[in-house]
Amino acid sequence: MAWSAVTSAVTTIGNLLTQEAIYLWGVEEEVDRLQTELKWMQSSLMEAETKQSKDERIRLWVAEIRELAYDAEDVVKEFALKIGSKNKGGLPSRIKRSACCLKEGWMLHKTRSKIEKIIERINDLVRRLQTYGVKELKDRGEESSSSTERRESRPPYPHIMDDNIVGLVDDTEGLVKVLKNESGCKVVTIWGMGGLGKTTLAKNIYHHHQVIDYFDHLAFVYVSQPCRKRNVWEDILSGFKTLDDADRKKRDEDLAEKLCNKLEEKKCLVILDDIWTSEAWDSLKPAFPVATGRHSNSKILLTSRNRGIVPYADIRELKCLNDQQCWELFQKIVFPQTGNKTGEEIKELGENMVKHCAGLPLAIVVLGRILATKNNSLNEWRKISDNVKSHLKRGKNQGPEDVLALSYDDLPPYLRPCFLYLSHFPEDYMIDVDRLIQLWVAEGILSSKQEERDGGEIVEDVAESYLMELVERCMIQVRERDVATLKVKTIQMHDMMRDLCLSKAKQENFVFIIDQSNASSLSMIRKVKTPFFHLLLLFKGSNLYLKLLL
Ligand SMILES: Nc1ncnc2c1ncn2[C@@H]1O[C@H](COP(=O)(O)OP(=O)(O)OP(=O)(O)O)[C@@H](O)[C@H]1O
Ligand SMILES: [Mg+2]
């Protein structure tokens, strides 16, 4: 979001400087310097934003930059509006205004000194960053990223199978069929949002007796972040039980060649779990015959939250559990012994709580594990039921919100405001895509830099491509398409994703939600300066938001 704020400031200032220079008559030099400083910050921000959730110093740094960007934009806009616009009439208008000269001179002076102060704040920030060594973060490599650490904290253990699996029967059958079909696609992707069971399904396949019988070799490899091709190749060969000491000393190219030959000679199944980017696939593919144009009967199965990792893959979308499956999974975790022989009230509380999980297995597992420790105490259940959402957030190691936050951290900066904007819509709301695009455009949510980069594409097309990117990243779900054109007509957000969206939007000062608990804080809202800032009034007990644009 800081990136968006800085981008917005750079764009506004840039437009004024190039197209409406007359508006900045008298302060061009200062504004130009300011723009240079902001551009420098913009370039350093991309990476910092993904790291901020863990490192407090970076979080503060990013927040400070965001404030600086808003201030910079405000100062320049204010000047252009109050003084600059009067210059538009040219010399006669300036003569007419001679009476106000003193006032304008003072405004000019005030603006110059405000800009100087902002530049000084930027310099001061840079000095502090250097003093505290924050500049080194850029060089420490991807490993230092908090989202990376979080991704790594749930590595799958392929040999350990879950005993509580529910559903997945059709998905498993379908996958086994396509994997055993020689003429079928060589690469298959299991696609779905975080915590939906992609890894669980992939493990199901890995242990499936038909798969074991059909393939000569099987390997299940977790693609760590960042993807290290050498490790992945070695792990695959090790899974095939064909990795020897000599391989470890081989050059990368020779190791890739060995793996490629193996995949050509034998029928192998390679499962690559949790691959995030097409760059990761590009780095791995030299070892795969399918990507190098060589014939092979081997197959590759990927799991990913991103749809477009391998463009020619057969995509299998994983869906949420239905109500019955949710309850079944919940019971298996909470009452492993007694089954459903529980008191009526406990059952009712349980059913209501499970609804909050909205079909996401990870959420049910987290909730179930908390309740399983409460020995069916009605009091304890009531307490948890009163605060299900916060219990779901916390989890034990990683709550669903932490898991889904990885998807947010992975969003490129230009998509973040688009995603956060969805916090305006109530729970379960079917969002009309045309309307949403109009709103994005009208409220300046889309980064104009991107529009330029895309070579004059019209803004609605840019908006639509952003929307599709959010769909491909499983941040939103398509609900209706136009029957003739297949264009997306309505979208919806998973409840858990919406909770994340709302909490990120609040954290980023993107929205301020007023309900009865914080109505008194209305007075402090004047201090919030985010350009996209919206105030939402939430009426207790209803799902209705009233939006006020400030
Ligand atoms: N069908 C299912 N039945 C029972 N438990 C399930 C099912 N699907 C997932 N789970 C449980 O939900 C949790 C999350 O599942 P999993 O790790 O497979 O999700 P994922 O889609 O791979 O998530 P991520 O995108 O974060 O990798 C695990 O604890 C898993 O055991
Ligand atoms: Mg997974």
Side-chain angles (χ1 to χ4, degrees):
M1 272 302 298
W3 186 88
S4 307
V6 177
T7 302
S8 161
V10 169
T11 312
T12 310
I13 295 172
N15 286 344
L16 282 169
L17 277 171
T18 52
Q19 293 154 25
E20 312 273 2
I22 200 155
Y23 281 100
L24 299 177
W25 183 75
V27 288
E28 304 97 318
E29 226 173 86
E30 288 80 2
V31 173
D32 200 38
R33 271 178 56 215
L34 182 63
Q35 197 201 21
T36 311
E37 295 291 342
L38 288 169
K39 277 186 178 162
W40 174 85
M41 286 193 158
Q42 191 187 20
S43 67
S44 339
L45 260 173
M46 279 249 203
E47 200 185 351
E49 280 206 288
T50 59
K51 289 176 176 165
Q52 63 174 322
S53 41
K54 182 83 173 283
D55 193 314
E56 184 60 15
R57 289 174 312 172
I58 301 217
R59 209 180 57 72
L60 292 173
W61 178 54
V62 169
E64 216 169 310
I65 291 181
R66 193 175 58 204
E67 290 306 309
L68 272 167
Y70 297 149
D71 288 349
E73 196 172 349
D74 282 356
V75 171
V76 177
K77 269 188 184 162
E78 191 190 357
F79 181 82
L81 213 70
K82 283 195 180 158
I83 304 292
S85 60
K86 295 181 187 161
N87 293 333
K88 244 201 158 170
L91 194 62
S93 129
R94 261 184 242 154
I95 295 167
K96 249 190 255 162
R97 290 188 294 108
S98 55
C100 319
C101 244
L102 264 175
K103 199 175 151 209
E104 286 187 12
W106 185 75
M107 182 75 184
L108 204 68
H109 165 75
K110 213 170 101 181
T111 305
R112 278 190 191 135
S113 85
K114 275 185 187 169
I115 295 178
E116 287 304 334
K117 273 194 190 127
I118 294 175
I119 294 177
E120 185 43 42
R121 273 165 66 197
I122 296 177
N123 292 336
D124 183 48
L125 183 62
V126 173
R127 266 195 303 277
R128 269 183 294 138
L129 291 175
Q130 284 165 354
T131 312
Y132 296 112
V134 172
K135 73 175 178 25
E136 286 160 28
L137 275 161
K138 205 171 165 108
D139 310 323
R140 267 198 259 152
E142 289 289 327
E143 289 102 310
S144 56
S145 146
S146 63
S147 57
T148 298
E149 280 163 28
R150 281 188 283 151
R151 280 176 208 175
E152 303 262 335
S153 70
R154 275 170 67 225
Y157 296 101
H159 59 285
I160 303 176
M161 273 305 286
D162 226 315
D163 339 305
N164 294 325
I165 292 183
V166 301
L168 296 186
V169 179
D170 293 344
D171 299 290
T172 308
E173 262 178 30
L175 275 171
V176 170
K177 213 165 151 195
V178 69
L179 292 173
K180 282 176 60 187
N181 178 1
E182 265 185 25
S183 53
C185 232
K186 303 283 180 220
V187 186
V188 183
T189 302
I190 304 174
W191 172 59
M193 66 189 277
L196 204 54
K198 301 178 292 296
T199 302
T200 309
L201 176 58
K203 285 203 280 185
N204 237 3
I205 299 294
Y206 182 65
H207 288 277
H208 198 281
H209 65 96
Q210 286 189 38
V211 170
I212 296 170
D213 290 346
Y214 179 79
F215 289 101
D216 302 316
H217 295 292
L218 296 163
F220 187 112
V221 175
Y222 175 63
V223 182
S224 64
Q225 308 287 336
C227 169
R228 294 189 192 85
K229 62 180 182 194
R230 173 104 206 168
N231 293 1
V232 174
W233 291 339
E234 285 186 3
D235 288 351
I236 297 173
L237 285 168
S238 156
F240 293 169
K241 305 202 172 33
T242 54
L243 183 78
D244 51 43
D245 285 344
D247 291 334
R248 296 193 191 277
K249 294 183 193 120
K250 281 197 171 104
R251 293 182 312 145
D252 285 355
E253 304 84 82
D254 297 333
L255 191 72
E257 183 60 24
K258 169 166 176 172
L259 179 52
C260 211
N261 289 339
K262 190 91 217 151
L263 295 170
E264 249 180 334
E265 285 159 19
K266 298 276 180 186
K267 252 190 305 194
C268 308
L269 174 65
V270 176
I271 300 177
L272 297 176
D273 184 39
D274 211 17
I275 181 161
W276 281 71
T277 60
S278 24
E279 288 77 31
W281 170 254
D282 288 342
S283 74
L284 294 171
K285 70 183 187 189
F288 303 142
V290 56
T292 48
R294 289 155 66 169
H295 176 75
S296 126
N297 284 326
S298 294
K299 299 267 182 167
I300 298 175
L301 178 64
L302 313 174
T303 80
S304 184
R305 294 182 190 191
N306 293 337
R307 195 174 199 277
I309 302 287
V310 183
Y312 47 86
D314 178 348
I315 310 278
R316 301 284 159 141
E317 183 179 355
L318 196 54
K319 296 274 193 293
C320 291
L321 299 181
N322 61 32
D323 290 350
Q324 194 198 332
Q325 291 167 330
C326 287
W327 184 241
E328 194 188 329
L329 176 57
F330 180 78
Q331 280 182 313
K332 283 185 171 187
I333 296 169
V334 187
F335 323 112
Q337 257 88 53
T338 56
N340 60 1
K341 283 187 229 91
T342 45
E344 260 318 297
E345 197 169 345
I346 286 254
K347 186 166 180 252
E348 203 176 308
L349 284 169
E351 280 171 349
N352 280 331
M353 284 189 265
V354 166
K355 282 194 191 126
H356 285 280
C357 302
L360 192 73
L362 173 68
I364 299 171
V365 171
V366 167
L367 180 67
R369 288 195 186 135
I370 299 172
L371 290 165
T373 61
K374 305 295 174 197
N375 298 325
N376 288 354
S377 145
L378 200 54
N379 253 347
E380 294 286 337
W381 276 58
R382 283 196 194 117
K383 271 194 231 155
I384 292 170
S385 168
D386 288 342
N387 285 302
V388 197
K389 287 212 169 182
S390 63
H391 281 285
L392 276 177
K393 259 186 201 175
R394 272 181 256 137
K396 206 174 170 204
N397 301 316
Q398 273 197 307
E401 195 166 304
D402 294 318
V403 171
L404 297 183
L406 298 176
S407 299
Y408 178 78
D409 294 345
D410 199 55
L411 282 183
Y414 59 86
L415 278 183
R416 290 183 180 198
C418 299
F419 173 73
L420 296 184
Y421 193 83
L422 300 170
S423 59
H424 291 72
F425 297 96
E427 217 170 293
D428 296 330
Y429 193 79
M430 291 274 251
I431 304 170
D432 181 87
V433 165
D434 288 341
R435 177 91 190 110
L436 175 67
I437 288 181
Q438 281 171 0
L439 288 166
W440 277 352
V441 173
E443 302 209 21
I445 292 290
L446 304 164
S447 138
S448 52
K449 250 202 124 202
Q450 181 73 14
E451 289 154 39
E452 282 161 23
R453 206 165 43 228
D454 291 343
E457 232 181 315
I458 63 163
V459 72
E460 282 76 10
D461 290 345
V462 174
E464 205 177 315
S465 71
Y466 287 7
L467 182 98
M468 289 322 293
E469 220 180 305
L470 289 173
V471 170
E472 301 234 318
R473 289 167 172 271
C474 277
M475 311 291 282
I476 47 179
Q477 271 108 32
V478 174
R479 282 293 167 250
E480 278 178 299
R481 284 181 188 269
D482 186 290
V483 268
T485 61
L486 289 181
K487 262 180 100 166
V488 180
K489 274 174 69 183
T490 51
I491 53 154
Q492 217 176 10
M493 216 175 195
H494 188 278
D495 281 359
M496 294 260 140
M497 192 60 92
R498 185 179 169 276
D499 289 345
L500 168 81
C501 180
L502 214 56
S503 79
K504 289 286 174 192
K506 283 191 230 165
Q507 202 178 319
E508 300 279 3
N509 275 345
F510 193 88
V511 292
F512 193 94
I513 297 183
I514 305 284
D515 57 16
Q516 275 159 356
S517 65
N518 62 359
S520 57
S521 13
L522 255 173
S523 57
M524 57 169 272
I525 287 169
R526 266 180 298 129
K527 290 186 195 146
V528 183
K529 301 182 208 122
T530 317
F532 314 123
F533 179 71
H534 296 121
L535 178 65
L536 302 182
L537 295 184
L538 177 63
F539 295 108
K540 198 161 193 230
S542 88
N543 215 3
L544 181 71
Y545 282 142
L546 181 71
K547 188 176 84 179
L548 302 179
L549 299 177
L550 295 186

